[in-house]
Amino acid sequence: MINVTNLRKTYGDFTAVNNISFEVQKGEIFGFLGPNGAGKTSTINMMIGLSRPTAGEIFINGIDVRKQTKKAQSIMGIVADESNLYNEMDGFENLCFCAALYGMEKDEREVKARHLLEEFGLKDAAKRSFKAYSKGMKRKLTIAAALIHSPEILFLDEPTTGIDVESSRQIRKRIKALKEQGTTVFLTTHYIEEAERLCDRIAFIAKGQIVASGTVTELMDSVSHGHVIRFVTSKFAENLTAELQSNFEGSIATIQSDNTMIMKSEERIPLLPVMNFLHDKGIDVYEATELRPSLEDVFVKLTGIESSVLKRDEKKGGRK
Amino acid sequence: MRSRIAFWNILKKDIKNYYLKPPNISWGIIFPLSWTLMQLIRSPGENVLKLLPGLMAMSVLFGTTSMLAVTITFERSGRSFERLLLAPISINVLVLAKIAGTVLFGIFNAFVPIIFASFFKDLRGVNFGIILPTVFMIAVSSALMGLLIAVSAKQVFEAQTFSNFFRFPMLFLCGLFVPISDLPVFLRPISYLLPLTYGADILKGAVTGVNTLSPTLSFGMLILFSVVLFLISRHNINRKWIL
Ligand SMILES: Nc1ncnc2c1ncn2[C@@H]1O[C@H](COP(=O)(O)OP(=O)(O)OP(=O)(O)O)[C@@H](O)[C@H]1O
Ligand SMILES: [Mg+2]
């Protein structure tokens, strides 16, 4: 659906996007995850034809965006990083106007506008002027406006930045629903959790370059970490670590506290033998959890950027 | 088809959101009115007809150049203008749609002094068949100047300043208030570089029957100016707004 090759963008002697290449498949949600200034907006602007690439190629559904910009734009829905509708018009008028820009007839425009207002929970605000909308409502209407002509592909630049948890959740739900209907989605974000929850595939972007890309699982696997299991037990087991290590070859056991012990191994660790071993020593096992690195750990490791540089979705943060 | 719908809706939106707003409407009426009154008070015996071409030209100029420059700069700063650039319509259609509203507004403004004058004078001698297309072409060329200003301005106040920078010297140099033959020699070539000079001359002829230049040549010049301004604007939009 999207094929980008060796894309570059320079402003004077500053390189904002440095030779990036990637592909997005039809019906997938693809996300660019990166800190401020990474080059996310610069890339998206070139893909939608709002800015000219210094070098490289962009094909959308086989259409060369650089040569047939208008043809490509007719199948795109575009959500800019700011909610940029017309302040002096109400919600319904805004949607109808956007529909007209894509050549939709009056009846069709109005039916679709009403439908989208309903879908985005903005029915009651249809007759209120855009400037009276809250930030979250503005964001939702802006996304609705991008969907008015039923685009095959949707571009979203930081869809949930500056939006509260509940609105963000609703927006993510809508994006997922779109994917179910077959829309291809390209989005940028600096929320790790958002990328992880929403995207089928993610590209880490930093300083204008793609550092790594793939599914969440692929990205996790690209950083070798072995297997780590944490046992919560009934009592202290320090004197047992050496014995455990000799019984379970290749593993390293460490005591974390009075009743937790960590076992690490390159191979997967079978649980039952360990539990039986401890049981024979009169130790009850209450809990055994596999500790996985978070996507955040992977991001930090691959990009060398501290995750605090990315704004985190505080309320939902935390690792699994 | 798509372009027709887009064109029409951009025009409708601009008329509703900008040109029909009370401050703009009243500006379009009050400005020409107060000018006419001022001229009449200053020289009470003067023939209102002699003032008419100048008033019309001025009303068009004031209703178009800065209106378009300001509204576009305003939409650019709120970034809603990006929608127009990203819509699947050509820049030609976009430019035509944006200037269409301004041109209509300019024509409306031009007829305020005419209506006003009709209370004082018998206007049957005035050639409206010439006035209408001329007012139209003055409005088109002035609107395109506004567009050119919009492409250069970053903020609304900048657009205002640039507009004034253009339109006041233009009024002075176009031959309406000071005949071009009375201007210092070094300013005269500049007069002939201004579209308003040609428009004003046709209007003068249509109202008073006295032309300085050939109306056909003048009309041709107005068209030429409009085409050139259109091409420059389109080029600049491509170069400056699609980075
Ligand atoms: N028009 C421009 N002129 C000069 N430099 C620019 C321009 N646009 C972007 N840049 C620079 O390019 C770099 C990448 O900017 P970009 O907006 O693409 O980043 P981003 O990943 O979208 O960041 P953010 O999360 O802040 O939106 C930045 O350093 C920015 O300053
Ligand atoms: Mg950005």
Side-chain angles (χ1 to χ4, degrees):
Chain A
M1 193 71 180
I2 305 180
N3 285 65
V4 170
T5 13
N6 298 330
L7 190 62
R8 263 174 79 80
K9 181 72 189 179
T10 56
Y11 297 106
D13 45 12
F14 177 78
T15 306
V17 176
N18 194 356
N19 250 359
I20 62 172
S21 303
F22 60 92
E23 276 180 26
V24 181
Q25 306 305 324
K26 188 168 168 53
E28 112 179 303
I29 303 181
F30 187 90
F32 257 24
L33 175 66
N36 289 132
K40 303 184 294 296
T41 301
S42 301
T43 307
I44 234 176
N45 282 350
M46 288 189 278
M47 291 165 78
I48 61 179
L50 197 58
S51 119
R52 289 194 183 85
T54 308
E57 290 183 337
I58 306 160
F59 282 88
I60 294 199
N61 217 0
I63 306 166
D64 186 340
V65 175
R66 293 199 307 171
K67 297 206 177 91
Q68 293 180 284
T69 315
K70 293 295 158 190
K71 188 175 174 201
Q73 282 169 345
S74 67
I75 59 163
M76 297 180 188
I78 297 155
V79 180
D81 52 359
E82 265 176 61
S83 299
N84 57 347
L85 283 163
Y86 297 89
N87 273 322
E88 54 284 347
M89 294 201 281
D90 68 31
F92 182 70
E93 288 169 338
N94 262 302
L95 293 187
C96 289
F97 178 71
C98 292
L101 290 180
Y102 289 81
M104 287 166 70
E105 297 285 353
K106 192 170 195 293
D107 297 341
E108 198 190 353
R109 295 201 285 268
E110 295 186 348
V111 169
K112 193 74 198 283
R114 279 199 202 93
H115 177 74
L116 281 167
L117 285 166
E118 174 97 53
E119 222 172 58
F120 279 81
L122 294 169
K123 210 173 148 204
D124 296 335
K127 292 280 160 227
R128 238 185 288 161
S129 72
F130 186 67
K131 65 171 167 288
Y133 276 33
S134 75
K135 245 186 180 177
M137 289 160 77
K138 281 186 175 169
R139 205 64 192 140
K140 287 181 204 163
L141 193 72
T142 307
I143 298 174
L147 294 172
I148 195 93
H149 58 293
S150 316
E152 286 177 48
I153 176 159
L154 179 65
F155 290 90
L156 301 128
D157 197 357
E158 308 205 5
T160 63
T161 298
I163 306 300
D164 74 18
V165 177
E166 180 52 24
S167 296
S168 302
R169 204 184 57 81
Q170 291 165 355
I171 287 172
R172 281 196 284 268
K173 214 173 126 194
R174 293 256 40 95
I175 296 175
K176 279 200 174 133
L178 282 167
K179 172 197 150 79
E180 296 308 317
Q181 292 156 23
T183 310
T184 308
V185 179
F186 179 94
L187 61 85
T188 74
T189 181
H190 52 219
Y191 295 128
I192 292 176
E193 291 79 8
E194 178 161 282
E196 189 168 2
R197 265 195 218 124
L198 202 53
C199 300
D200 297 311
R201 287 194 306 129
I202 300 169
F204 290 163
I205 176 164
K207 299 197 182 106
Q209 286 177 305
I210 293 182
V211 181
S213 69
T215 62
V216 174
T217 325
E218 282 167 3
L219 287 167
M220 301 265 204
D221 289 348
S222 69
V223 178
S224 143
H225 50 80
H227 295 275
V228 183
I229 295 184
R230 183 184 61 200
F231 292 93
V232 178
T233 54
S234 57
K235 59 185 174 201
F236 201 48
E238 186 153 30
N239 49 350
L240 297 173
T241 53
E243 211 177 320
L244 259 172
Q245 280 169 198
S246 61
N247 266 315
F248 300 94
E249 219 169 289
S251 67
I252 298 162
T254 39
I255 303 298
Q256 251 194 345
S257 74
D258 278 2
N259 54 2
T260 52
M261 175 192 69
I262 304 281
M263 266 182 93
K264 280 188 196 168
S265 168
E266 278 306 311
E267 301 295 316
R268 300 212 73 158
I269 302 165
L271 290 182
L272 201 58
V274 178
M275 279 149 79
N276 281 337
F277 173 89
L278 291 170
H279 184 75
D280 290 347
K281 306 287 173 192
I283 299 168
D284 291 324
V285 177
Y286 298 131
E287 204 182 306
T289 324
E290 170 147 31
L291 300 183
R292 294 172 167 278
S294 63
L295 189 61
E296 186 175 336
D297 298 331
V298 177
F299 182 86
V300 173
K301 202 155 177 178
L302 289 175
T303 61
I305 295 171
E306 266 311 311
S307 59
S308 57
V309 172
L310 294 171
K311 285 180 213 150
R312 295 198 47 208
D313 199 347
E314 292 301 338
K315 299 217 175 65
K316 293 179 183 168
R319 41 187 71 183
K320 287 195 204 123
Chain B
M1 187 59 182
R2 171 191 284 158
S3 297
R4 186 183 59 79
I5 294 175
F7 174 90
W8 181 236
N9 280 276
I10 293 172
L11 174 59
K12 258 198 331 210
K13 177 193 84 64
D14 283 354
I15 290 179
K16 194 169 158 217
N17 289 336
Y18 302 128
Y19 304 114
L20 287 184
K21 284 277 145 84
N24 290 328
I25 281 282
S26 54
W27 167 253
I29 295 170
I30 289 168
F31 185 76
L33 280 189
S34 46
W35 251 88
T36 317
L37 279 177
M38 204 172 88
Q39 296 290 336
L40 286 176
I41 291 165
R42 210 184 51 161
S43 39
E46 189 143 18
N47 188 348
V48 185
L49 275 187
K50 269 176 116 178
L51 298 174
L52 204 54
L55 281 169
M56 286 169 69
M58 206 160 59
S59 303
V60 179
L61 190 64
F62 276 70
T64 49
T65 312
S66 72
M67 270 303 274
L68 192 64
V70 167
T71 52
I72 290 187
T73 316
F74 175 73
E75 286 186 7
R76 292 248 317 138
S77 66
R79 288 186 52 187
S80 56
F81 197 83
E82 273 174 25
R83 295 190 173 277
L84 306 180
L85 292 173
L86 290 172
I89 50 169
S90 68
I91 291 196
N92 290 345
V93 173
L94 168 57
V95 169
L96 290 177
K98 281 314 245 187
I99 67 167
T102 320
V103 168
L104 289 178
F105 187 66
I107 294 173
F108 164 80
N109 281 1
F111 280 87
V112 173
I114 294 184
I115 293 163
F116 189 67
S118 69
F119 293 120
F120 295 87
K121 276 278 171 191
D122 181 2
L123 295 182
R124 267 178 299 186
V126 175
N127 189 340
F128 285 102
I130 292 180
I131 287 192
L132 194 64
T134 308
V135 165
F136 174 76
M137 283 315 296
I138 298 177
V140 170
S141 56
S142 315
L144 284 165
M145 274 191 287
L147 183 60
L148 211 56
I149 291 168
V151 193
S152 319
K154 285 197 181 62
Q155 285 149 333
V156 174
F157 89 89
E158 248 178 45
Q160 287 278 21
T161 316
F162 287 158
S163 313
N164 287 334
F165 184 77
F166 278 103
R167 62 191 181 181
F168 284 108
M170 216 151 76
L171 276 178
F172 175 68
L173 294 173
C174 75
L176 273 173
F177 302 103
V178 184
I180 293 176
S181 51
D182 291 357
L183 288 173
V185 180
F186 70 97
L187 283 179
R188 281 182 221 168
I190 303 176
S191 293
Y192 289 107
L193 288 176
L194 302 173
L196 196 61
T197 305
Y198 302 95
D201 198 64
I202 311 177
L203 289 183
K204 243 190 200 161
V207 175
T208 63
V210 187
N211 284 98
T212 317
L213 305 158
S214 138
T216 321
L217 171 80
S218 295
F219 204 75
M221 285 305 283
L222 279 178
I223 294 175
L224 183 69
F225 270 110
S226 299
V227 171
V228 170
L229 283 168
F230 181 85
L231 293 176
I232 299 176
S233 301
R234 201 180 61 174
H235 174 79
N236 280 1
I237 288 175
N238 253 318
R239 197 172 49 92
K240 294 180 83 171
W241 288 350
I242 300 177
L243 286 173

